[in-house]
Amino acid sequence: MSHCSSSSSPSHRPTTTTTLLNVATGARFDVDLSDLFSTHHLHLGSSADGLLVLRDKATNAIRLLNPLTRALVEFPPITDVEALEVPPAAYSITFRANFNLEVGSTKVHVPNPPPIKGAGIDDATSPPTLVLCLRKKLAHVVVAKPGVDAHWVSVHHGEQQVDLLTALGRILFQSLLSFKGRCYFTTPRGDVMTLDLGPMTTDRWGWSAKKKPRMVYLRREMALADDRVKAMSYLVRSHDERTMLMVRYSFSHRGGLNTTGDGNPVKTFISKGAPSRMEVFKMDIDGRGRLIPLQGIGSNNAVFVGDTQSIMLSTVKFPKIAANTVYMNYLWQRVRLFGTYRFEDGKTTPPRDLRRYKEKAKNLGFSPCACHLELDDYLICHVQHPDQFHNILFVD
């Protein structure tokens, strides 16, 4: 697949079209959104059920865009975020100075540009709620309903207690996925959480019982308990949208990875000198989020994992993609020194080095694009750093 959209060379005239690729069907569409992109910033990788997240450059207002119909839904400015309570750390002089907190203030200070990375739509409210992840040092999940909410609300930690993060009013999460009308999160070690969006409840004396919106655990027993093991857990929707999977990559230089909780041996491989493990679980939503271990992704499937989003493809529709394989995102390929893991034989492949394409493009006078890349190259960048390549958008 090739698509070239930008060039500074006279022989490579820039085009204003953007290619949309439906990862479920393989359908492609070229659309001209240049007028919107001139006044809005597109938060690539933060699509919500096929809708694109735009931010007005002048007002910071958030808008959801249907790229095919050009319909827009309005939301408040993302710089206007309120928490449900004053973070406990605000009463410490040291924390106030280091984390931009104020005594008595529930305002969340969002930098400009905001670190939006991940989006979902939750149908538990009317109208549905847009959920955004603010990452980097913020670690907040914020929500708003169009035409109803005057500002964004930071989700309360709820059932999650993570010492310093909780004291700062923040949440520990790895990935976000909206699935069958609800939003789900994982922690790095494999806890699965969802949102309780309300309404606010009160006890018989009239006191608010629980702050909402808040995080609630859906399932915890499959999370890694050994602190010696480092892990990253990602949620992904199957390409037919029938099931939700959790893919977890873990490694340890200090042991604790070679057996399961019941003492049974597990299959491991070596990455960057450390025993490592790749696991896949099917989530049984109807069974209160029970996680069912699987032997792989499937003979006709492949998964690209990333913090922004994870994508499953049918290798029947995209035959150049390796089947029953997990593709690590570009960042973790460089950090852990492997590119893919094949469940069929437990083997890994070397990491992809895309820097040579950037050097070649720089010498020729135009930006890197799919003239030099394959589909899997695009995807390993898109799931982690989508802003590197903005001429093609992946929608589900």
Side-chain angles (χ1 to χ4, degrees):
M1 182 187 70
S2 63
H3 176 78
C4 186
S5 73
S6 60
S7 170
S8 58
S9 170
S11 61
H12 293 81
R13 298 183 181 275
T15 176
T16 60
T17 60
T18 297
T19 296
L20 304 176
L21 174 63
N22 189 307
V23 296
T25 65
R28 293 175 56 178
F29 304 92
D30 287 333
V31 294
D32 186 354
L33 303 173
S34 57
D35 55 332
L36 285 171
F37 292 168
S38 65
T39 57
H40 293 76
H41 177 79
L42 170 63
H43 287 276
L44 289 163
S46 293
S47 63
D49 294 347
L51 304 178
L52 305 181
V53 177
L54 303 181
R55 175 176 53 85
D56 190 294
K57 295 178 181 178
T59 66
N60 282 314
I62 296 296
R63 296 182 175 95
L64 274 185
L65 168 69
N66 185 320
L68 297 179
T69 66
R70 297 175 62 89
L72 288 168
V73 180
E74 303 276 342
F75 290 85
I78 191 58
T79 48
D80 187 5
V81 179
E82 295 287 337
L84 295 177
E85 65 180 8
V86 179
Y91 298 97
S92 164
I93 296 177
T94 301
F95 286 127
R96 284 205 304 272
N98 292 333
F99 296 98
N100 199 20
L101 303 175
E102 300 176 22
V103 175
S105 174
T106 58
K107 181 175 178 58
V108 177
H109 295 278
V110 179
N112 192 8
I116 300 174
K117 201 174 180 185
I121 296 176
D122 199 303
D123 295 335
T125 60
S126 181
T129 295
L130 176 61
V131 182
L132 297 179
C133 294
L134 302 179
R135 295 184 183 262
K136 296 185 176 179
K137 294 182 179 180
L138 276 182
H140 281 268
V141 176
V142 298
V143 298
K145 296 183 291 296
V148 176
D149 296 328
H151 59 78
W152 292 84
V153 175
S154 178
V155 174
H156 190 265
H157 61 81
E159 295 180 354
Q160 187 183 83
Q161 298 289 331
V162 189
D163 297 336
L164 179 59
L165 282 180
T166 300
L168 293 171
R170 302 177 182 180
I171 295 172
L172 177 66
F173 63 93
Q174 176 97 51
S175 68
L176 160 65
L177 179 70
S178 55
F179 180 72
K180 294 186 177 181
R182 298 300 308 274
C183 285
Y184 299 92
F185 300 79
T186 57
T187 64
R189 303 184 69 79
D191 290 322
V192 181
M193 304 178 293
T194 188
L195 293 178
D196 182 357
L197 293 172
M200 183 71 75
T201 56
T202 58
D203 59 24
R204 58 181 177 176
W205 292 284
W207 294 92
S208 296
K210 295 176 180 176
K211 292 180 171 60
K212 300 177 183 179
R214 67 187 186 116
M215 284 287 182
V216 294
Y217 284 112
L218 194 63
R219 208 70 179 180
R220 302 198 67 185
E221 83 276 0
M222 298 305 293
L224 293 172
D226 196 322
D227 291 337
R228 296 174 296 174
V229 179
K230 305 298 182 183
M232 287 78 69
S233 301
Y234 307 96
L235 292 175
V236 62
R237 182 190 302 111
S238 64
H239 64 81
D240 60 8
E241 300 192 353
R242 294 181 179 178
T243 58
M244 179 168 63
L245 305 180
M246 184 178 78
V247 178
R248 181 168 64 198
Y249 164 63
S250 53
F251 63 94
S252 175
H253 289 276
R254 299 183 295 156
L257 194 69
N258 295 324
T259 59
T260 61
D262 54 13
N264 293 323
V266 299
K267 181 187 293 186
T268 61
F269 61 97
I270 301 298
S271 65
K272 204 173 182 180
S276 306
R277 183 184 183 189
M278 193 73 71
E279 300 170 278
V280 182
F281 303 90
K282 176 183 176 181
M283 178 167 289
D284 180 10
I285 299 297
D286 297 330
R288 283 291 298 166
R290 186 168 59 98
L291 292 172
I292 305 170
L294 302 178
Q295 296 302 311
I297 298 297
S299 59
N300 295 321
N301 304 319
V303 168
F304 292 77
V305 294
D307 290 342
T308 302
Q309 62 183 130
S310 296
I311 295 175
M312 177 180 283
L313 297 181
S314 165
T315 55
V316 175
K317 296 186 184 301
F318 300 95
K320 288 188 176 182
I321 303 298
N324 204 13
T325 298
V326 173
Y327 286 76
M328 302 296 286
N329 62 64
Y330 186 47
L331 171 64
W332 280 106
Q333 287 199 23
R334 296 176 66 183
V335 171
R336 300 305 306 167
L337 302 184
F338 75 99
T340 67
Y341 176 83
R342 299 192 300 258
F343 282 98
E344 182 177 355
D345 55 12
K347 302 294 185 180
T348 61
T349 60
R352 299 296 290 269
D353 185 3
L354 303 183
R355 289 172 293 184
R356 65 182 184 274
Y357 296 115
K358 292 186 177 182
E359 283 300 316
K360 179 180 178 182
K362 181 179 179 181
N363 294 334
L364 291 175
F366 55 89
S367 63
C369 63
C371 298
H372 322 287
L373 304 177
E374 296 293 336
L375 175 61
D376 54 348
D377 295 319
Y378 255 119
L379 283 165
I380 64 176
C381 292
H382 175 80
V383 295
Q384 187 69 25
H385 296 298
D387 290 330
Q388 291 183 3
F389 305 104
H390 57 270
N391 54 330
I392 186 166
L393 303 177
F394 299 93
V395 295
D396 48 16

